[in-house]
Amino acid sequence: MKAEYINPFVESTGEVFTTMLSCAPSWGDIRLDVGDSGPFEISALIGLTGTAKGTVEMSFPDTTAVAICNRLIGQENSEVNEGVIDALGEMVNMVAGSAKAKFKGHKINISLPTVVRGKNHIVEHPKGSESLIIPFESELGDFIVRVSFATS
Amino acid sequence: MKAEYINPFVESTGEVFTTMLSCAPSWGDIRLDVGDSGPFEISALIGLTGTAKGTVEMSFPDTTAVAICNRLIGQENSEVNEGVIDALGEMVNMVAGSAKAKFKGHKINISLPTVVRGKNHIVEHPKGSESLIIPFESELGDFIVRVSFATS
């Protein structure tokens, strides 16, 4: 996958976290997804269409998810509930929305966010796509952003 | 949700199953998703963008997923593997692709399929969307199609 496909998501994740959560996350080595990441407890996904077709996914341990929601909306939830689901959907929506403006020479549209819960769930992308994983660390906890684009 | 948003998916699921799997599924009462369906073992999702923004999801017990894959590509898998993941991604891609041509007065684009695995996983749609569930029965097993569209 070209750097121009992944950089918008690295930048927009940093910007959304900094702006919305007053939290500047740092990212580690970006790596090819070979099915070795996760499992996670909660994942927020959104589809991308346009001149490049793909998916962006943010996956979190429950503790990170709850901490993000509490910071975002000023609550004190102790477990994943409807408010946390909504907050994660909003986070991936903002990250993808911010990233699409950064694509040079591409017109990208974003779909509706979906949130997947369940211990040990695995998100897979069928053949014909390539996925990169960006691991993030933050004071609210670790998480990953996975970006997948169709190879054809 | 308007009938014009759901009928294309009822029709296209029937057509794709009949054409690709020589299997004519029947559908039950379409109902509002109030979180009472599932959990399922494997779900294939695809994002929709355009004049209507949403998600279409097909959720299966593992036994139905394996039976669909074996019929589609003429194999004899006994458990979910990479071939089954690819087959389900292809199924939701065909159903959404066929449905988008049936939307009157809407221009719909589809994203890349994503497949979620894991016993007891739950797929949720954050606020601002409405979901309908179409339950299907077929000789290859039961499954559901869930269609979600943004309400705004």
Side-chain angles (χ1 to χ4, degrees):
Chain A
M1 193 186 299
K2 296 175 189 165
E4 69 186 76
Y5 280 20
I6 194 87
N7 288 341
F9 295 98
V10 177
E11 290 172 20
S12 65
T13 302
E15 288 170 11
V16 168
F17 269 68
T18 303
T19 308
M20 303 304 295
L21 305 174
S22 303
C23 163
S26 58
W27 62 93
D29 289 340
I30 296 169
R31 63 181 193 271
L32 203 62
D33 178 19
V34 291
D36 61 340
S37 75
F40 296 98
E41 289 165 321
I42 189 160
S43 300
L45 304 150
I46 204 161
L48 311 171
T49 70
T51 51
K53 189 182 271 201
T55 307
V56 56
E57 173 199 343
M58 301 177 78
S59 278
F60 310 91
D62 278 350
T63 50
T64 307
V66 170
I68 286 172
C69 173
N70 288 350
R71 180 75 65 91
L72 185 68
I73 58 178
Q75 290 188 341
E76 295 197 10
N77 299 293
S78 57
E79 58 184 23
V80 173
N81 55 28
E82 207 173 305
V84 175
I85 302 290
D86 288 343
L88 299 186
E90 192 49 39
M91 288 299 294
V92 77
N93 194 47
M94 289 188 287
V95 166
S98 167
K100 78 175 191 174
K102 298 177 190 295
F103 273 85
K104 303 276 184 281
H106 284 283
K107 170 109 181 70
I108 306 276
N109 297 304
I110 62 175
S111 76
L112 203 62
T114 302
V115 177
V116 180
R117 298 168 64 183
K119 275 200 193 307
N120 303 327
H121 76 266
I122 302 170
V123 178
E124 307 213 41
H125 296 280
K127 65 183 174 191
S129 67
E130 189 177 51
S131 301
L132 288 179
I133 290 174
I134 318 164
F136 282 92
E137 291 181 1
S138 83
E139 64 182 86
L140 298 174
D142 295 350
F143 63 97
I144 65 157
V145 175
R146 175 157 35 187
V147 180
S148 307
F149 277 103
T151 47
S152 55
Chain B
M1 193 186 300
K2 296 175 188 164
E4 69 186 77
Y5 281 20
I6 195 86
N7 289 341
F9 296 97
V10 177
E11 291 172 21
S12 65
T13 302
E15 288 170 10
V16 168
F17 269 68
T18 304
T19 308
M20 302 304 295
L21 304 173
S22 302
C23 163
S26 59
W27 62 92
D29 289 341
I30 296 170
R31 64 181 192 271
L32 203 62
D33 179 19
V34 290
D36 62 338
S37 75
F40 296 96
E41 290 166 321
I42 190 160
S43 300
L45 305 150
I46 203 161
L48 310 171
T49 71
T51 51
K53 189 182 271 202
T55 307
V56 57
E57 174 200 344
M58 301 176 79
S59 279
F60 310 90
D62 278 351
T63 49
T64 307
V66 169
I68 286 172
C69 173
N70 288 350
R71 180 75 65 93
L72 185 66
I73 58 179
Q75 290 187 342
E76 296 198 10
N77 299 293
S78 57
E79 59 183 23
V80 173
N81 55 27
E82 207 173 305
V84 175
I85 301 289
D86 288 342
L88 298 186
E90 190 51 37
M91 288 299 293
V92 76
N93 195 46
M94 288 189 287
V95 166
S98 166
K100 77 176 192 174
K102 299 178 190 295
F103 273 85
K104 302 277 184 279
H106 285 282
K107 169 109 181 70
I108 306 277
N109 298 305
I110 61 175
S111 75
L112 204 61
T114 302
V115 176
V116 179
R117 298 168 63 183
K119 277 201 192 305
N120 303 329
H121 76 267
I122 302 170
V123 178
E124 307 214 42
H125 296 279
K127 65 182 174 193
S129 67
E130 190 178 51
S131 302
L132 288 179
I133 290 174
I134 319 163
F136 281 92
E137 292 181 1
S138 82
E139 64 181 87
L140 298 173
D142 295 350
F143 63 98
I144 65 156
V145 174
R146 177 159 32 188
V147 180
S148 306
F149 277 103
T151 47
S152 55

